[in-house]
Coordinates of all heavy atoms in Angstrom, one line a residue:
M1 N 0.9 -1.2 0.0 CA 0.0 0.1 0.0 C 0.9 1.3 0.0 O 1.9 1.3 0.8 CB -0.9 0.1 1.3 CG -1.9 -1.2 1.4 SD -2.7 -1.2 3.0 CE -3.7 0.4 2.8
L2 N 0.4 2.3 -0.9 CA 1.1 3.5 -0.9 C 0.5 4.6 -0.1 O -0.6 4.7 -0.1 CB 1.3 4.0 -2.4 CG 2.2 3.0 -3.3 CD1 2.1 3.6 -4.6 CD2 3.5 2.8 -2.8
F3 N 1.5 5.3 0.6 CA 0.9 6.4 1.4 C 1.7 7.7 1.2 O 3.0 7.6 1.0 CB 1.0 6.2 2.9 CG 0.1 5.2 3.4 CD1 0.4 3.7 3.4 CD2 -1.2 5.4 3.8 CE1 -0.5 2.7 3.9 CE2 -2.1 4.5 4.3 CZ -1.7 3.1 4.3
K4 N 1.1 8.9 1.0 CA 1.9 10.1 1.1 C 1.9 10.5 2.5 O 0.9 10.5 3.2 CB 1.1 11.2 0.2 CG 1.9 12.5 0.3 CD 1.0 13.6 -0.3 CE -0.1 14.0 0.5 NZ -0.7 15.4 0.0
V5 N 3.1 10.9 3.0 CA 3.3 11.3 4.2 C 4.0 12.6 4.4 O 5.1 12.8 3.7 CB 4.1 10.2 5.1 CG1 4.4 10.7 6.6 CG2 3.5 8.9 5.1
E6 N 3.4 13.7 4.9 CA 4.1 14.9 5.0 C 4.5 15.1 6.5 O 3.7 14.9 7.4 CB 3.1 16.0 4.7 CG 2.7 15.8 3.3 CD 1.8 17.0 2.7 OE1 1.5 18.0 3.5 OE2 1.3 16.8 1.6
M7 N 5.9 15.5 6.6 CA 6.4 15.7 8.0 C 6.9 17.1 8.1 O 7.7 17.5 7.2 CB 7.5 14.6 8.2 CG 7.2 13.3 8.0 SD 8.7 12.2 8.2 CE 8.1 10.7 7.2
K8 N 6.5 17.7 9.1 CA 7.0 19.1 9.5 C 7.7 19.1 10.7 O 7.2 18.5 11.7 CB 6.0 20.2 9.4 CG 6.3 21.6 9.7 CD 5.2 22.5 9.5 CE 5.5 23.9 9.8 NZ 6.2 24.2 11.1
V9 N 9.0 19.4 10.6 CA 9.8 19.3 12.0 C 9.9 20.6 12.8 O 9.9 21.7 12.3 CB 11.2 18.9 11.6 CG1 12.1 18.8 12.8 CG2 11.4 17.8 10.7
N10 N 9.5 20.5 14.1 CA 9.5 21.7 15.1 C 10.4 21.2 16.3 O 9.9 20.8 17.2 CB 8.1 21.8 15.5 CG 7.0 21.8 14.3 OD1 7.0 22.7 13.6 ND2 6.2 20.8 14.3
L11 N 11.7 21.5 16.0 CA 12.6 21.2 17.2 C 12.5 22.4 18.1 O 12.5 23.5 17.7 CB 14.0 20.9 16.7 CG 14.3 19.6 16.1 CD1 15.9 19.7 15.6 CD2 14.2 18.6 16.9
P12 N 12.5 22.1 19.4 CA 12.3 23.2 20.5 C 13.6 24.1 20.2 O 14.8 23.7 20.1 CB 12.4 22.6 21.7 CG 12.0 21.1 21.5 CD 12.5 20.9 20.1
A13 N 13.4 25.5 20.4 CA 14.4 26.5 20.1 C 15.5 26.2 21.3 O 16.6 26.5 20.9 CB 13.8 27.9 20.1
D14 N 15.1 25.8 22.3 CA 16.1 25.7 23.6 C 16.7 24.2 23.6 O 17.4 24.0 24.5 CB 15.4 26.0 24.8 CG 14.3 25.1 25.2 OD1 13.9 24.2 24.3 OD2 13.7 25.2 26.3
M15 N 16.4 23.3 22.6 CA 17.1 22.1 22.6 C 18.6 22.3 22.3 O 19.0 22.9 21.3 CB 16.6 21.2 21.4 CG 17.2 19.8 21.4 SD 16.5 18.8 20.1 CE 15.1 18.1 20.9
P16 N 19.5 21.7 23.2 CA 21.0 21.9 23.0 C 21.3 21.3 21.6 O 20.9 20.2 21.1 CB 21.5 21.0 24.1 CG 20.5 20.9 25.1 CD 19.2 20.9 24.4
A17 N 22.3 22.0 21.0 CA 22.6 21.7 19.6 C 23.2 20.1 19.4 O 22.9 19.5 18.5 CB 23.7 22.6 19.1
E18 N 23.9 19.7 20.4 CA 24.4 18.3 20.4 C 23.2 17.3 20.5 O 23.3 16.3 19.9 CB 25.5 18.0 21.5 CG 25.0 18.2 22.9 CD 25.2 19.6 23.5 OE1 25.2 20.7 22.7 OE2 25.1 19.6 24.7
V19 N 22.2 17.5 21.3 CA 21.0 16.7 21.3 C 20.3 16.7 20.0 O 20.0 15.6 19.5 CB 20.0 17.2 22.4 CG1 18.9 16.3 22.5 CG2 20.7 17.2 23.8
A20 N 20.1 17.8 19.4 CA 19.6 17.9 18.0 C 20.3 17.1 17.0 O 19.7 16.4 16.3 CB 19.4 19.5 17.7
A21 N 21.7 17.3 17.1 CA 22.5 16.8 16.1 C 22.5 15.1 16.2 O 22.4 14.5 15.2 CB 24.0 17.1 16.3
D22 N 22.4 14.6 17.5 CA 22.2 13.2 17.7 C 20.9 12.7 17.2 O 20.9 11.7 16.4 CB 22.3 12.9 19.2 CG 22.2 11.5 19.5 OD1 23.0 10.6 19.1 OD2 21.1 11.0 20.1
I23 N 19.8 13.4 17.5 CA 18.5 12.9 17.0 C 18.5 13.0 15.3 O 18.0 11.9 14.8 CB 17.4 13.9 17.4 CG1 17.3 13.8 19.0 CG2 16.1 13.4 16.8 CD1 16.4 14.8 19.6
K24 N 19.1 13.9 14.9 CA 19.0 14.1 13.3 C 20.0 12.9 12.7 O 19.7 12.4 11.7 CB 19.6 15.5 12.9 CG 18.6 16.6 13.0 CD 19.3 18.0 12.7 CE 18.4 19.1 13.2 NZ 19.1 20.3 12.8
A25 N 21.1 12.7 13.3 CA 21.9 11.5 12.8 C 21.2 10.2 12.9 O 21.3 9.4 11.9 CB 23.3 11.5 13.6
R26 N 20.4 9.9 14.0 CA 19.8 8.8 14.1 C 18.6 8.7 13.1 O 18.2 7.7 12.6 CB 19.3 8.5 15.6 CG 20.4 8.3 16.6 CD 19.9 7.8 17.9 NE 19.5 8.9 18.7 CZ 18.2 9.1 19.1 NH1 17.3 8.2 18.9 NH2 17.8 10.2 19.8
E27 N 17.9 9.8 12.9 CA 16.9 9.9 11.9 C 17.4 9.6 10.5 O 16.8 8.9 9.9 CB 16.3 11.2 12.1 CG 15.2 11.6 10.9 CD 13.8 11.1 11.6 OE1 13.7 11.0 12.7 OE2 12.8 11.3 10.7
K28 N 18.5 10.1 10.3 CA 19.0 9.9 8.8 C 19.4 8.5 8.6 O 19.0 7.9 7.7 CB 20.4 10.7 8.7 CG 20.9 10.6 7.3 CD 22.2 11.6 7.1 CE 22.7 11.5 5.7 NZ 23.7 12.6 5.6
A29 N 20.0 7.9 9.7 CA 20.5 6.4 9.6 C 19.1 5.5 9.3 O 19.0 4.7 8.5 CB 21.2 6.0 10.8
Y30 N 18.1 5.8 10.2 CA 16.9 5.0 10.1 C 16.1 5.3 8.7 O 15.7 4.5 8.1 CB 15.9 5.4 11.2 CG 14.7 4.6 11.4 CD1 14.7 3.3 11.3 CD2 13.4 5.3 11.5 CE1 13.4 2.5 11.5 CE2 12.3 4.7 11.6 CZ 12.3 3.2 11.7 OH 11.0 2.5 11.7
A31 N 16.1 6.6 8.4 CA 15.4 6.9 7.1 C 16.1 6.2 5.8 O 15.5 5.7 4.9 CB 15.4 8.4 6.8
Q32 N 17.5 6.2 5.9 CA 18.2 5.6 4.8 C 18.0 4.0 4.9 O 18.0 3.3 3.7 CB 19.7 5.9 5.0 CG 19.8 7.4 4.7 CD 21.2 7.9 4.4 OE1 22.2 7.3 5.0 NE2 21.4 9.0 3.6
E33 N 17.9 3.5 6.1 CA 17.6 2.0 6.2 C 16.2 1.7 5.5 O 16.2 0.6 4.7 CB 17.6 1.6 7.7 CG 17.3 0.2 8.0 CD 17.3 -0.1 9.4 OE1 18.1 0.6 10.3 OE2 16.5 -0.8 10.0
L34 N 15.3 2.5 5.9 CA 14.0 2.2 5.3 C 14.1 2.4 3.8 O 13.3 1.7 3.0 CB 12.9 3.1 6.0 CG 12.7 2.9 7.6 CD1 11.6 3.8 8.0 CD2 12.3 1.4 7.7
Q35 N 14.7 3.4 3.2 CA 14.9 3.5 1.8 C 15.5 2.3 1.2 O 15.0 1.8 0.2 CB 15.6 4.8 1.5 CG 14.8 6.1 1.8 CD 15.7 7.4 1.7 OE1 15.9 7.8 0.6 NE2 16.1 7.9 2.8
Q36 N 16.5 1.8 1.8 CA 17.3 0.6 1.3 C 16.3 -0.5 1.2 O 16.3 -1.3 0.3 CB 18.4 0.2 2.2 CG 19.4 1.3 2.2 CD 20.4 1.3 0.9 OE1 20.2 0.4 0.2 NE2 21.3 2.3 1.0
Q37 N 15.4 -0.6 2.2 CA 14.4 -1.7 2.3 C 13.3 -1.5 1.3 O 12.5 -2.4 1.2 CB 13.8 -1.8 3.6 CG 14.7 -2.2 4.8 CD 14.2 -2.2 6.1 OE1 13.1 -2.0 6.3 NE2 15.2 -2.4 7.1
G38 N 13.2 -0.3 0.6 CA 12.2 -0.1 -0.3 C 10.8 0.3 0.4 O 9.8 0.5 -0.4
K39 N 10.9 0.5 1.7 CA 9.7 0.9 2.3 C 9.4 2.4 2.2 O 8.2 2.9 2.2 CB 9.7 0.5 3.9 CG 9.7 -0.9 4.0 CD 9.6 -1.5 5.4 CE 9.5 -3.0 5.5 NZ 8.4 -3.7 4.8
W40 N 10.5 3.2 2.3 CA 10.5 4.7 2.1 C 10.8 5.0 0.7 O 12.0 5.1 0.3 CB 11.3 5.3 3.2 CG 11.1 6.8 3.4 CD1 10.7 7.7 2.5 CD2 11.4 7.5 4.7 NE1 10.7 8.9 3.2 CE2 11.0 8.8 4.3 CE3 11.8 7.2 5.9 CZ2 11.2 9.9 5.4 CZ3 11.9 8.1 6.9 CH2 11.6 9.5 6.7
R41 N 9.8 5.0 -0.2 CA 10.0 5.0 -1.7 C 10.6 6.4 -2.2 O 11.4 6.5 -2.9 CB 8.8 4.6 -2.3 CG 8.8 4.4 -3.8 CD 9.1 3.0 -4.1 NE 8.1 2.0 -3.9 CZ 7.1 1.9 -4.8 NH1 7.0 2.6 -5.8 NH2 6.1 1.0 -4.5
H42 N 10.1 7.5 -1.6 CA 10.5 8.8 -2.1 C 10.7 9.7 -0.8 O 9.8 9.6 0.2 CB 9.5 9.5 -2.9 CG 9.4 8.9 -4.3 ND1 10.3 9.2 -5.3 CD2 8.7 7.9 -4.8 CE1 10.0 8.4 -6.4 NE2 9.0 7.6 -6.1
L43 N 11.7 10.5 -0.8 CA 11.9 11.5 0.2 C 12.4 12.9 -0.4 O 13.3 13.0 -0.9 CB 13.0 11.0 1.3 CG 13.5 11.9 2.3 CD1 12.4 12.5 3.1 CD2 14.5 11.3 3.1
W44 N 11.4 13.9 -0.3 CA 11.7 15.1 -0.9 C 11.6 16.3 0.1 O 10.6 16.4 0.9 CB 10.5 15.3 -2.0 CG 10.7 14.4 -3.1 CD1 9.8 13.4 -3.4 CD2 11.5 14.6 -4.3 NE1 10.3 12.8 -4.5 CE2 11.2 13.5 -5.1 CE3 12.4 15.5 -4.7 CZ2 11.9 13.3 -6.3 CZ3 13.0 15.3 -5.9 CH2 12.8 14.3 -6.6
R45 N 12.4 17.1 0.1 CA 12.4 18.4 0.9 C 11.4 19.4 0.3 O 11.4 19.4 -1.0 CB 13.9 18.9 0.8 CG 13.9 20.3 1.6 CD 13.7 20.2 3.1 NE 14.7 19.6 3.9 CZ 14.5 18.7 4.9 NH1 13.2 18.3 5.1 NH2 15.5 18.2 5.7
V46 N 10.6 19.9 1.1 CA 9.7 21.0 0.6 C 10.5 22.3 0.7 O 11.0 22.7 1.8 CB 8.4 21.1 1.5 CG1 7.6 22.2 1.1 CG2 7.7 19.8 1.6
S47 N 10.9 22.9 -0.4 CA 11.8 24.0 -0.7 C 11.5 25.1 0.3 O 10.3 25.4 0.6 CB 11.7 24.6 -1.9 OG 12.1 23.5 -2.9
G48 N 12.5 25.5 1.0 CA 12.4 26.7 2.0 C 11.8 26.3 3.3 O 11.4 27.2 4.1
T49 N 11.5 25.1 3.6 CA 11.0 24.6 4.9 C 11.8 23.5 5.5 O 12.6 22.9 4.8 CB 9.6 24.1 4.7 OG1 9.6 22.8 4.1 CG2 8.7 25.1 3.9
Y50 N 11.5 23.3 6.8 CA 12.1 22.1 7.5 C 11.0 21.1 7.4 O 10.5 20.7 8.5 CB 12.6 22.4 8.9 CG 13.5 21.3 9.5 CD1 13.8 20.2 8.8 CD2 13.9 21.4 10.8 CE1 14.6 19.2 9.4 CE2 14.7 20.5 11.3 CZ 15.0 19.3 10.6 OH 15.8 18.4 11.2
A51 N 10.6 20.6 6.2 CA 9.6 19.7 6.0 C 9.9 18.9 4.9 O 10.6 19.2 4.0 CB 8.2 20.4 5.9
N52 N 9.2 17.7 4.8 CA 9.3 16.8 3.7 C 8.0 16.2 3.2 O 7.1 16.2 3.9 CB 10.3 15.6 3.9 CG 9.8 14.6 4.9 OD1 9.0 13.8 4.5 ND2 10.3 14.7 6.2
V53 N 8.0 15.8 1.9 CA 6.9 15.0 1.4 C 7.5 13.6 1.2 O 8.5 13.6 0.3 CB 6.3 15.6 0.2 CG1 5.2 14.7 -0.4 CG2 5.6 16.9 0.6
S54 N 6.9 12.5 1.6 CA 7.5 11.2 1.3 C 6.4 10.3 0.8 O 5.2 10.6 1.1 CB 8.0 10.6 2.7 OG 9.2 11.5 3.1
I55 N 6.8 9.3 0.1 CA 5.9 8.1 -0.3 C 6.4 6.9 0.3 O 7.7 6.6 0.2 CB 5.9 8.0 -1.8 CG1 5.5 9.2 -2.5 CG2 5.0 6.9 -2.2 CD1 4.2 9.8 -2.3
F56 N 5.6 6.2 1.2 CA 5.9 4.9 1.8 C 5.3 3.9 1.1 O 4.1 4.0 0.7 CB 5.5 5.0 3.3 CG 6.4 5.8 4.2 CD1 6.5 7.1 4.2 CD2 7.3 5.0 5.1 CE1 7.4 7.7 5.1 CE2 8.2 5.7 5.9 CZ 8.3 7.0 5.9
D57 N 5.8 2.7 1.0 CA 5.3 1.5 0.5 C 5.3 0.4 1.5 O 6.4 -0.1 1.8 CB 6.1 1.1 -0.8 CG 5.4 -0.1 -1.6 OD1 4.4 -0.5 -1.1 OD2 6.0 -0.4 -2.7
V58 N 4.1 0.2 2.1 CA 4.1 -0.7 3.3 C 2.9 -1.7 3.2 O 2.1 -1.5 2.3 CB 3.9 0.1 4.6 CG1 5.2 0.9 4.8 CG2 2.7 0.9 4.5
T59 N 2.9 -2.7 4.0 CA 1.9 -3.7 3.9 C 0.5 -3.3 4.3 O -0.5 -3.6 3.6 CB 2.3 -4.8 4.8 OG1 3.6 -5.4 4.5 CG2 1.2 -6.1 4.7
D60 N 0.5 -2.5 5.4 CA -0.9 -2.0 5.8 C -0.7 -0.7 6.7 O 0.5 -0.2 7.0 CB -1.5 -3.1 6.6 CG -0.7 -3.7 7.7 OD1 0.3 -3.0 8.2 OD2 -0.9 -4.9 8.1
N61 N -1.8 -0.2 7.3 CA -1.8 0.9 8.1 C -1.0 0.7 9.3 O -0.2 1.7 9.8 CB -3.2 1.4 8.5 CG -4.1 1.7 7.3 OD1 -3.9 1.3 6.1 ND2 -5.2 2.3 7.7
A62 N -1.0 -0.4 9.9 CA -0.2 -0.6 11.1 C 1.2 -0.7 10.9 O 1.9 0.0 11.7 CB -0.6 -2.1 11.6
E63 N 1.7 -1.2 9.8 CA 3.0 -1.1 9.5 C 3.6 0.4 9.3 O 4.6 0.7 9.9 CB 3.6 -1.8 8.3 CG 5.0 -1.8 8.1 CD 5.6 -2.6 6.8 OE1 4.7 -2.8 5.9 OE2 6.7 -3.0 6.8
L64 N 2.8 1.1 8.6 CA 3.1 2.6 8.4 C 3.2 3.3 9.8 O 4.1 4.0 10.1 CB 2.0 3.3 7.5 CG 2.4 4.8 7.4 CD1 3.4 4.9 6.3 CD2 1.1 5.6 6.9
H65 N 2.3 2.9 10.5 CA 2.2 3.5 12.0 C 3.5 3.2 12.7 O 4.1 4.0 13.4 CB 1.0 3.3 12.7 CG 0.9 3.8 14.2 ND1 0.6 5.2 14.3 CD2 1.2 3.4 15.3 CE1 0.7 5.5 15.5 NE2 1.2 4.5 16.2
D66 N 3.8 1.9 12.8 CA 5.0 1.5 13.3 C 6.3 2.1 12.9 O 7.2 2.7 13.7 CB 5.2 0.0 13.2 CG 4.2 -0.8 14.1 OD1 3.5 -0.3 15.0 OD2 4.1 -2.0 13.7
L67 N 6.5 2.3 11.6 CA 7.7 2.8 11.0 C 7.7 4.4 11.3 O 8.7 4.9 11.8 CB 7.7 2.7 9.5 CG 7.7 1.2 9.0 CD1 7.8 1.3 7.4 CD2 8.9 0.5 9.6
V68 N 6.6 5.0 11.2 CA 6.7 6.4 11.3 C 6.8 6.8 12.8 O 7.5 7.7 13.2 CB 5.4 7.1 10.7 CG1 5.1 8.7 11.1 CG2 5.3 7.1 9.2
S69 N 6.1 6.1 13.7 CA 6.2 6.5 15.1 C 7.5 6.0 15.7 O 7.8 6.3 16.9 CB 5.0 5.8 15.9 OG 5.0 4.3 15.8
S70 N 8.3 5.2 15.0 CA 9.7 4.9 15.4 C 10.7 5.9 14.9 O 11.9 5.7 15.3 CB 10.1 3.6 14.9 OG 9.2 2.6 15.4
L71 N 10.3 6.9 14.2 CA 11.3 7.9 13.8 C 11.8 8.6 15.0 O 11.1 9.1 15.8 CB 10.8 8.9 12.8 CG 10.2 8.3 11.4 CD1 9.4 9.3 10.7 CD2 11.5 8.0 10.6
P72 N 13.1 8.9 15.1 CA 13.7 9.6 16.1 C 13.2 11.0 16.2 O 13.0 11.6 17.3 CB 15.1 9.6 16.0 CG 15.5 8.4 15.2 CD 14.3 8.1 14.3
L73 N 12.8 11.7 15.1 CA 12.1 13.0 15.2 C 10.7 12.9 15.4 O 10.0 13.9 15.4 CB 12.4 13.8 13.9 CG 13.9 14.4 13.8 CD1 14.1 14.9 12.3 CD2 14.1 15.4 14.8
F74 N 10.0 11.7 15.6 CA 8.6 11.6 15.7 C 8.1 12.6 16.7 O 7.0 13.3 16.5 CB 8.2 10.2 15.9 CG 6.7 10.0 16.1 CD1 5.8 10.1 14.9 CD2 6.1 9.8 17.4 CE1 4.5 9.9 15.1 CE2 4.8 9.5 17.3 CZ 4.0 9.6 16.3
P75 N 8.6 12.6 18.0 CA 8.0 13.5 18.9 C 8.0 15.1 18.7 O 7.3 15.9 19.3 CB 9.0 13.3 20.2 CG 9.7 12.1 20.0 CD 9.7 12.1 18.5
Y76 N 8.8 15.3 17.5 CA 9.0 16.8 17.2 C 8.4 17.1 15.8 O 8.7 18.2 15.2 CB 10.5 17.2 17.3 CG 11.2 16.7 18.5 CD1 12.1 15.6 18.6 CD2 10.9 17.5 19.7 CE1 12.5 15.3 19.7 CE2 11.5 17.1 20.8 CZ 12.3 16.0 21.0 OH 13.0 15.5 22.1
M77 N 7.6 16.2 15.3 CA 7.1 16.4 13.9 C 5.5 16.5 14.0 O 4.8 15.8 14.8 CB 7.5 15.3 13.0 CG 9.0 15.4 12.8 SD 9.5 14.4 11.4 CE 9.3 12.8 11.9
D78 N 5.0 17.4 13.2 CA 3.6 17.3 12.8 C 3.5 16.5 11.5 O 4.1 16.7 10.5 CB 3.0 18.7 12.4 CG 3.0 19.7 13.7 OD1 2.7 19.1 14.7 OD2 3.2 20.7 13.6
I79 N 2.7 15.4 11.5 CA 2.7 14.4 10.5 C 1.3 14.4 9.8 O 0.3 14.2 10.7 CB 3.1 13.1 10.9 CG1 4.6 13.2 11.3 CG2 3.0 12.1 9.9 CD1 5.0 12.0 12.0
S80 N 1.3 14.3 8.6 CA -0.1 14.0 7.9 C 0.1 12.9 6.9 O 1.0 12.8 6.4 CB -0.7 15.3 7.3 OG 0.1 15.6 6.1
V81 N -1.0 12.0 6.8 CA -1.0 10.9 6.1 C -2.1 10.7 5.1 O -3.2 11.1 5.5 CB -0.9 9.5 6.9 CG1 -1.0 8.3 6.1 CG2 0.4 9.6 7.8
A82 N -1.8 10.4 3.8 CA -3.0 10.1 2.9 C -2.7 8.9 2.1 O -1.5 8.6 1.7 CB -3.1 11.3 1.9
P83 N -3.6 8.0 2.0 CA -3.5 6.7 1.3 C -3.6 7.1 -0.2 O -4.4 8.0 -0.7 CB -4.8 5.9 1.7 CG -5.7 6.9 2.2 CD -5.0 8.1 2.7
L84 N -2.9 6.4 -1.0 CA -2.7 6.6 -2.5 C -3.3 5.4 -3.2 O -3.1 4.3 -2.8 CB -1.3 6.9 -2.9 CG -0.7 8.0 -2.3 CD1 0.8 8.2 -2.8 CD2 -1.4 9.4 -2.6
C85 N -3.8 5.7 -4.4 CA -4.2 4.6 -5.4 C -3.7 5.1 -6.8 O -3.5 6.3 -7.0 CB -5.6 4.0 -5.3 SG -6.7 5.3 -5.6
R86 N -3.8 4.3 -7.8 CA -3.4 4.5 -9.1 C -4.4 5.6 -9.7 O -5.7 5.5 -9.6 CB -3.4 3.4 -10.0 CG -2.2 2.5 -9.7 CD -2.0 1.2 -10.7 NE -2.1 1.7 -12.1 CZ -1.1 2.4 -12.7 NH1 0.0 2.7 -12.1 NH2 -1.2 2.8 -13.9
H87 N -3.9 6.4 -10.4 CA -4.7 7.5 -11.1 C -5.2 6.9 -12.5 O -4.3 6.4 -13.2 CB -4.0 8.8 -11.3 CG -5.0 9.9 -11.7 ND1 -5.6 10.0 -13.0 CD2 -5.4 11.0 -11.0 CE1 -6.3 11.0 -13.0 NE2 -6.3 11.7 -11.9
P88 N -6.4 7.0 -12.9 CA -6.9 6.4 -14.1 C -6.2 7.0 -15.3 O -6.2 6.4 -16.4 CB -8.4 6.5 -14.2 CG -8.7 7.5 -13.2 CD -7.6 7.5 -12.2
S89 N -5.7 8.2 -15.3 CA -5.1 8.8 -16.3 C -3.5 8.7 -16.4 O -2.8 9.3 -17.3 CB -5.2 10.3 -16.4 OG -6.7 10.6 -16.4
S90 N -3.0 7.9 -15.4 CA -1.6 7.7 -15.4 C -1.1 7.0 -16.7 O -1.8 6.0 -17.1 CB -1.1 7.0 -14.1 OG 0.3 6.6 -14.3
I91 N 0.0 7.4 -17.2 CA 0.5 6.7 -18.4 C 1.5 5.6 -18.1 O 2.0 4.9 -18.8 CB 1.3 7.7 -19.4 CG1 2.5 8.2 -18.7 CG2 0.4 8.8 -19.9 CD1 3.4 9.0 -19.7
H92 N 1.7 5.4 -16.7 CA 2.7 4.3 -16.3 C 2.0 3.0 -16.2 O 0.9 2.9 -15.5 CB 3.3 4.9 -15.1 CG 4.1 6.0 -15.3 ND1 5.3 6.2 -15.9 CD2 3.9 7.3 -14.8 CE1 5.8 7.3 -16.0 NE2 5.0 8.2 -15.4
E93 N 2.8 2.0 -16.4 CA 2.2 0.7 -16.2 C 2.1 0.1 -14.8 O 1.3 -0.7 -14.5 CB 3.1 -0.4 -17.0 CG 3.1 -0.3 -18.6 CD 1.7 -0.6 -19.1 OE1 1.1 -1.5 -18.6 OE2 1.2 0.1 -20.0
D94 N 3.0 0.7 -14.0 CA 3.0 0.3 -12.6 C 3.0 1.7 -11.7 O 2.9 2.7 -12.3 CB 4.2 -0.6 -12.2 CG 5.5 0.1 -12.5 OD1 5.6 1.3 -12.7 OD2 6.5 -0.6 -12.6
D95 N 3.3 1.5 -10.5 CA 3.1 2.7 -9.6 C 4.5 3.3 -9.3 O 4.7 4.1 -8.4 CB 2.4 2.3 -8.3 CG 3.2 1.3 -7.5 OD1 4.4 0.9 -7.8 OD2 2.7 0.8 -6.5
R96 N 5.5 3.0 -10.0 CA 6.9 3.6 -9.9 C 7.0 4.9 -10.6 O 6.3 5.3 -11.5 CB 8.0 2.7 -10.4 CG 7.9 1.4 -9.4 CD 9.1 0.5 -9.6 NE 8.9 -0.6 -8.6 CZ 9.2 -0.7 -7.5 NH1 9.9 0.4 -7.0 NH2 9.0 -1.6 -6.7
Ligands
MUC1 O1 14.5 16.3 7.5 C1 13.4 15.8 7.5 O2 12.6 16.1 6.6 C2 12.9 15.0 8.7 C3 13.4 13.7 8.6 C4 13.1 12.9 7.4 C5 14.1 12.1 7.0 C6 15.2 12.6 7.7 O3 16.5 12.2 7.7 O4 14.8 13.4 8.7

């Protein structure tokens, strides 16, 4: 199942820089692991913001919840999720 996930990061202004750096490093490693697994299909920065638009390819809603809620930045993000299906006007044979 494909989902569009939008994540907006809101780190507290008073968070120590080294704490923020550690969370971001762990987030990057986990995000890259999920991309290697093919579960995090697309990851795009929203220009001019500390936000991203992502496409996840997971088995079901529960797997999406498990993956997203395990992100190290999860406590500091506003997240919105939308399920996707093929568009009838798409010229592509598959969903890639
Ligand atoms: O930077 C972000 O958009 C937040 C998050 C998503 C992947 C990652 O490495 O950090």
Side-chain angles (χ1 to χ4, degrees):
M1 297 174 68
L2 296 175
F3 292 89
K4 180 188 73 169
V5 180
E6 298 184 6
M7 307 178 201
K8 183 176 181 299
V9 183
N10 310 294
L11 287 177
D14 61 352
M15 177 180 277
E18 62 274 19
V19 173
D22 175 65
I23 295 171
K24 289 177 189 178
R26 289 187 287 115
E27 176 87 10
K28 182 174 184 175
Y30 184 53
Q32 292 188 335
E33 181 186 322
L34 294 180
Q35 289 172 78
Q36 298 284 357
Q37 294 173 5
K39 294 185 181 297
W40 196 326
R41 189 85 78 77
H42 291 274
L43 171 57
W44 295 96
R45 175 65 74 222
V46 180
S47 299
T49 73
Y50 193 2
N52 73 73
V53 173
S54 294
I55 304 294
F56 280 77
D57 186 356
V58 293
T59 303
D60 54 24
N61 296 18
E63 184 181 21
L64 181 74
H65 182 76
D66 288 346
L67 297 183
V68 170
S69 62
S70 297
L71 291 168
L73 280 172
F74 179 75
Y76 308 103
M77 293 197 288
D78 294 325
I79 298 174
S80 65
V81 173
L84 302 176
C85 61
R86 287 185 52 71
H87 193 288
S89 301
S90 173
I91 64 168
H92 298 288
E93 292 294 321
D94 59 20
D95 61 9
R96 295 195 179 265

